[in-house]
């Protein structure tokens, strides 16, 4: 019989027989990062995330994009510098507040994103190949729900 460990949350039973959800999510994330290489996608995964947000939500301030991606300003600038050098985004001053930068997805950026999405489908098949289509849909819905609870992410759909 497994030894029941104490837990602060009534919905979480820690019996020591299985890693917790956070450990499993971390392992899954590592699998994705190992397979979703720059060579496979044509861009880094963080660049993919940034371009996806811009495509799905349109132009936004550099600060809002950083908050959405959970990146500090310095790392965001490095990411955007590379994306801008590749021609995938453009930054411009906000006419209403010259201190702010607005980030726009370019046409070449949209094309590169589309190609990366096709490659990411292959990565998803490798990583989640053991799940049925229904299980993948359930997983996706639960992940969206968890991300939406954060409140900072703009890419989660409204709860159904």
């Amino acid at each position: 019989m497994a030894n029941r460990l104490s837990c602060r949350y009534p919905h979480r039973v820690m019996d020591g027989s299985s890693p917790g959800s956070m450990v499993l999510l971390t392992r899954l994330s590592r699998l994705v990062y190992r397979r979703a290489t720059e060579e496979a996608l044509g861009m880094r995964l963080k660049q993919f995330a940034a371009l996806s947000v811009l495509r799905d939500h349109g132009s936004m301030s550099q600060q809002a994009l950083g908050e959405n991606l959970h990146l500090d300003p310095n790392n965001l600038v490095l990411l955007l510098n590379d994306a801008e050098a590749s021609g995938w985004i453009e930054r411009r001053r906000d006419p209403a507040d010259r201190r702010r930068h607005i980030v726009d997805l370019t046409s070449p950026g949209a094309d590169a994103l589309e190609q990366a999405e096709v490659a990411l489908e292959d990565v998803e098949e490798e990583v989640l190949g053991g799940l049925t289509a229904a299980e993948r849909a359930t997983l996706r819905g639960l992940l969206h729900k968890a991300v939406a609870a954060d409140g900072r992410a703009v890419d989660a759909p409204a709860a159904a």
Side-chain angles (χ1 to χ4, degrees), residues 138-151 156-160:
T138 298
L139 176 61
R140 184 176 175 85
L142 292 171
L143 292 172
H144 271 297
K145 185 175 181 179
V147 169
D150 175 52

Side-chain angles (χ1 to χ4, degrees), residues 20 30 40 47 52 59 61 64 95 103 120 124 127 142 153:
R30 287 181 179 156
Q47 291 171 321
S52 295
S59 301
S61 73
V103 184
L120 204 53
E124 182 174 329
V127 173
L142 292 171

Side-chain angles (χ1 to χ4, degrees), residues 2-16:
N3 186 14
R4 182 180 162 88
L5 302 173
S6 65
C7 184
R8 296 187 300 172
Y9 303 100
H11 62 277
R12 172 77 172 106
V13 175
M14 296 178 67
D15 63 8

Side-chain angles (χ1 to χ4, degrees), residues 23-40:
V23 171
L24 294 171
L25 283 170
T26 301
R27 288 179 185 171
L28 187 62
S29 176
R30 287 181 179 156
L31 286 173
V32 170
Y33 266 91
R34 272 191 290 232
R35 288 174 172 83
T37 62
E38 188 170 356
E39 293 76 29

Side-chain angles (χ1 to χ4, degrees), residues 35-89:
R35 288 174 172 83
T37 62
E38 188 170 356
E39 293 76 29
L41 301 183
M43 64 182 62
R44 293 189 313 278
L45 199 52
K46 286 183 181 180
Q47 291 171 321
F48 175 85
L51 298 182
S52 295
V53 169
L54 292 170
R55 184 216 34 224
D56 295 344
H57 301 285
S59 301
M60 65 179 57
S61 73
Q62 193 165 302
Q63 180 180 357
L65 182 60
E67 288 171 3
N68 178 267
L69 297 171
H70 302 272
L71 286 176
D72 66 79
N74 291 334
N75 285 323
L76 178 66
V77 166
L78 294 173
L79 183 145
L80 294 178
N81 285 347
D82 289 345
E84 194 168 38
S86 296
W88 299 333
I89 60 120

